[in-house]
Amino acid sequence: MQYRTIQFQPNSWQSRIAVVLGSALAIGVAVAFVLLSLTLAVILLPLVAILIAVGWWRWRKIQAAMREQAAAQQKRRGDGPTIEIDYRVAGDPDPNRRE
């Protein structure tokens, strides 16, 4: 079995320029990606904050409406008298026991 090794060495000025340009391109793409991410974050964070604030406001409004509706139902229904009676459970072994 014969093993071969490959060595990448810049032998000429063209290959050295290609390595430098490739590295510059890779760094440029990375910097562009970081700038794009930061730009999106700067744009989207205030929008998300506004949406959360509006949602919170609407939720509080819905809660207030539900509280008012429950209070109105309670008024309409009225607080009638509570009837308390003595009772005995059928089949209870101790008829004098009260809980």
Side-chain angles (χ1 to χ4, degrees):
M1 188 177 282
Q2 188 176 26
Y3 294 102
R4 294 183 184 183
T5 59
I6 299 174
Q7 295 179 356
F8 295 103
Q9 294 178 345
N11 293 331
S12 65
W13 60 273
Q14 291 101 347
S15 59
R16 288 182 183 161
I17 290 176
V19 168
V20 169
L21 290 178
S23 300
L25 180 66
I27 291 171
V29 167
V31 168
F33 180 74
V34 168
L35 289 175
L36 180 66
S37 299
L38 289 175
T39 303
L40 283 175
V42 167
I43 291 172
L44 291 179
L45 281 177
L47 291 177
V48 169
I50 290 170
L51 290 175
I52 288 172
V54 168
W56 178 77
W57 173 74
R58 288 187 65 181
W59 180 249
R60 299 287 288 176
K61 190 175 177 182
I62 290 169
Q63 283 181 332
M66 290 176 66
R67 278 194 297 270
E68 289 174 8
Q69 184 181 10
Q73 283 180 351
Q74 188 69 20
K75 267 188 181 177
R76 272 187 276 139
R77 221 181 310 157
D79 291 332
T82 303
I83 302 172
E84 294 187 21
I85 61 169
D86 291 333
Y87 65 92
R88 185 172 10 147
V89 177
D92 193 6
D94 187 10
N96 296 326
R97 184 182 75 176
R98 287 183 69 176
E99 292 183 25

